[in-house]
Amino acid sequence: MRGKKDMMSGDDIRNAGLKVTLPRVKILALLEQSEQGHVSAEDVYKLLLDAGEEIGLATIYRVLTQFESAGLVTRHHFEGGQSVFELDRGEHHDHIVCIKCGRVEEFFDQTIEDRQQEIAKEKGFSVEAHALTIYGYCKDPACRAS
Amino acid sequence: MRGKKDMMSGDDIRNAGLKVTLPRVKILALLEQSEQGHVSAEDVYKLLLDAGEEIGLATIYRVLTQFESAGLVTRHHFEGGQSVFELDRGEHHDHIVCIKCGRVEEFFDQTIEDRQQEIAKEKGFSVEAHALTIYGYCKDPACRAS
DNA sequence: CAACAAATGAGATGCTTTTGCATTCTGCCA
DNA sequence: TGGCAGAATGCAAAAGCATCTCATTTGTTG
Ligand SMILES: [Mn+2]
Ligand SMILES: [Mn+2]
Ligand SMILES: [Zn+2]
Ligand SMILES: [Zn+2]
């Protein structure tokens, strides 16, 4: 079971044209197992430290960027501070973020997607990408707007 | 005519609880007259330099942030590099940006706005803000995707 | 016009991300 | 299996953007 997963990771890395190194395997495994799903480079660094793996922050940035180019990972620029990374599972979605506790939830709305295409067409633009993030307070009582 | 505009600017600044200083007047005037409409702090710095006004970059950042707090200006975090500022004319809109030439166009779509509210409600979130930016190639032949 | 508070400018500083380079590791072939 | 060329890593330095510190200047009010 675990052996299989590790091999999968190794394959993904190899398929991306990258050497299968310990940092890459560890980082990818962490992204796969991560509960939060959405982590910053520094989160990755600290989580790996907690797991006893000391990998340089520069390497983490480099690897995440390479994974992004390879389509294994998606990078988001939520407001405030660091970029956030998540495993790319092939299904596009947008985000709603709690500005109190940081919770991130995902959603996909075909209506919004369609409208964007129509708007782009009206303006004479092609659509290469888009970023939609809703910011608010989540349902946690401790987060409800004061 | 010009006198009136300048007074308007002065009033806006004063109403925001800020002293009417030369840097603030010049920055606000530039935003009002700016053709691009969407400028970075450094853009403001350089445009003012071109106009013979040498105002420190730190002051520009400070003033833009104050204007933002006062609701005179809106700040956007488009991908890559600096924050972009624009005069807040009171009407919310989102953006579509050309990833080749940087052109920025604005749009407002009630359907998208409504869907966001519904999504937030489903998730138990309140909506405090949102950012939607579409990235693509504009209609300029020189920008069309290769 | 004096007096005080607020604002500015210049440079230092902070934070995130990238880069250069010496060293180490992988993948591959003899 | 051993060895080698090229790729990857770690560390420290640098870069990019934004904010802060503090001495000096400016705006406001009486
Ligand atoms: Mn996500
Ligand atoms: Mn705009
Ligand atoms: Zn919350
Ligand atoms: Zn263009």
Side-chain angles (χ1 to χ4, degrees), chain B:
Chain B
M1 197 105 199
R2 202 178 70 239
K4 190 172 170 188
K5 260 191 194 165
D6 287 349
M7 280 185 69
M8 295 289 291
S9 299
D11 285 348
D12 287 341
I13 294 169
R14 204 172 293 112
N15 291 341
L18 301 168
K19 285 189 182 180
V20 180
T21 63
L22 192 137
R24 285 174 181 156
V25 170
K26 293 298 181 187
I27 292 170
L28 188 51
L30 186 150
L31 290 171
E32 283 167 349
Q33 302 160 206
S34 159
E35 301 183 5
Q36 304 117 112
H38 305 83
V39 292
S40 69
E42 200 176 340
D43 289 337
V44 172
Y45 177 74
K46 288 179 176 162
L47 287 168
L48 287 174
L49 261 194
D50 292 346
E53 305 286 342
E54 184 153 359
I55 297 175
L57 192 53
T59 298
I60 292 173
Y61 272 108
R62 255 185 314 236
V63 169
L64 287 172
T65 301
Q66 292 159 343
F67 284 179
E68 184 188 17
S69 300
L72 292 176
V73 154
T74 303
R75 181 194 308 237
H76 305 292
H77 301 88
F78 296 153
E79 297 199 14
Q82 294 129 297
S83 293
V84 165
F85 300 82
E86 72 173 317
L87 210 60
D88 187 335
R89 294 191 170 73
E91 292 169 11
H92 167 72
H93 59 262
D94 293 301
H95 299 90
I96 181 164
V97 178
C98 177
I99 52 188
K100 188 76 177 291
C101 72
R103 175 203 299 249
V104 177
E105 296 200 25
E106 307 179 334
F107 65 87
F108 175 82
D109 187 276
Q110 191 60 55
T111 302
I112 292 179
E113 301 292 321
D114 292 345
R115 289 298 302 139
Q116 290 184 56
Q117 287 294 337
E118 287 163 32
I119 290 160
K121 184 185 285 184
E122 285 169 20
K123 300 277 186 193
F125 277 65
S126 67
V127 176
E128 298 300 316
H130 72 259
L132 167 57
T133 307
I134 302 173
Y135 298 92
Y137 296 98
C138 78
K139 60 186 160 216
D140 184 329
C143 296
R144 299 312 315 196
S146 54

Side-chain angles (χ1 to χ4, degrees), chain A:
Chain A
M1 196 105 201
R2 199 177 72 240
K4 192 174 171 187
K5 261 190 193 164
D6 287 348
M7 280 186 71
M8 294 290 290
S9 298
D11 284 348
D12 286 342
I13 294 169
R14 206 172 293 112
N15 292 340
L18 300 168
K19 287 189 179 178
V20 180
T21 65
L22 191 137
R24 286 175 179 153
V25 170
K26 294 297 181 187
I27 292 170
L28 188 52
L30 186 151
L31 290 171
E32 281 167 350
Q33 301 162 204
S34 159
E35 300 184 6
Q36 305 118 112
H38 303 84
V39 294
S40 68
E42 199 176 342
D43 289 337
V44 172
Y45 176 74
K46 288 179 175 161
L47 288 168
L48 286 174
L49 261 194
D50 291 348
E53 304 288 343
E54 185 152 0
I55 297 175
L57 191 52
T59 298
I60 292 172
Y61 273 107
R62 261 186 306 236
V63 169
L64 287 172
T65 301
Q66 292 158 344
F67 284 180
E68 184 188 17
S69 300
L72 291 176
V73 153
T74 303
R75 179 193 308 238
H76 304 293
H77 300 89
F78 297 154
E79 298 199 14
Q82 295 131 295
S83 293
V84 165
F85 301 81
E86 72 173 316
L87 210 60
D88 187 336
R89 294 190 170 75
E91 294 170 10
H92 166 73
H93 59 262
D94 293 300
H95 299 91
I96 182 163
V97 179
C98 178
I99 53 187
K100 188 76 176 291
C101 71
R103 175 204 300 251
V104 176
E105 296 200 25
E106 306 179 334
F107 67 87
F108 175 81
D109 187 276
Q110 191 61 55
T111 303
I112 291 179
E113 302 291 322
D114 291 344
R115 290 298 302 139
Q116 291 183 57
Q117 287 294 338
E118 287 164 30
I119 289 160
K121 185 184 285 182
E122 284 169 22
K123 301 278 187 191
F125 276 65
S126 66
V127 176
E128 298 300 316
H130 73 260
L132 167 57
T133 307
I134 302 173
Y135 298 92
Y137 296 98
C138 78
K139 60 186 162 219
D140 184 329
C143 294
R144 300 311 316 194
S146 55

